Amino acid sequence: MDCIFCKITSGEIPATFVAESEHAVAFNDINPTQPVHVLVVPRVHYTDVAHLAVSDTEALADLIQLGVKVAEMTSTGSFRLQFNTGAEAGQTVFHAHGHITSRTPRS
Ligand code: 5GP
Ligand code: ZN
């Protein structure tokens, strides 16, 4: 399967992880839209967060907890956690991922 996020989570493509957990990794978005823009990505491939949610609730909770941790590390605590789900909602990478964005980075 030719999935860019599988290649990043497996280490096939080198990436700097901002944080890691049992089920997920976090790395900076290549094209940030906010001063803080980090992706939280499950280690196992699911097409989107809806498939993750019905397949592995432990991994889903772990992913959200990692997102909150990253937001606390990188921002003042005001942040968004967004899951684009489906092409018409703007999803372009079909490996589940959450966007942590914040306008107020931790200085
Ligand atoms: P989506 O539009 O699917 O919700 O979000 C995909 C995100 O992945 C986009 O914000 C895009 O900039 C980011 N992205 C795509 N390819 C790469 C990559 O190879 N490395 C990193 N770090 N981010 C990527
Ligand atoms: Zn994948």
Side-chain angles (χ1 to χ4, degrees):
M1 184 167 36
D2 194 27
C3 171
I4 186 77
F5 285 179
C6 280
K7 290 178 180 169
I8 291 174
T9 56
S10 69
E12 186 180 336
I13 294 177
T16 301
F17 295 146
V18 174
E20 293 187 60
S21 62
E22 182 181 355
H23 295 282
V25 301
F27 52 89
N28 286 316
D29 195 292
I30 201 169
N31 186 23
T33 62
Q34 299 277 322
V36 173
H37 191 165
V38 179
L39 302 174
V40 284
V41 181
R43 296 180 188 273
V44 174
H45 182 97
Y46 295 101
T47 307
D48 56 39
V49 72
H51 284 95
L52 172 61
V54 296
S55 304
D56 193 338
T57 52
E58 184 182 322
L60 175 67
D62 179 81
L63 181 78
I64 292 172
Q65 286 168 3
L66 183 64
V68 171
K69 179 180 165 186
V70 166
E72 289 170 348
M73 287 166 51
T74 59
S75 79
T76 59
S78 293
F79 67 94
R80 289 181 177 153
L81 171 51
Q82 179 174 328
F83 295 93
N84 297 331
T85 306
E88 289 165 351
Q91 187 176 3
T92 59
V93 176
F94 290 87
H95 178 134
H97 58 279
H99 297 251
I100 298 289
T101 56
S102 175
R103 295 181 186 151
T104 53
R106 183 182 278 273
S107 53

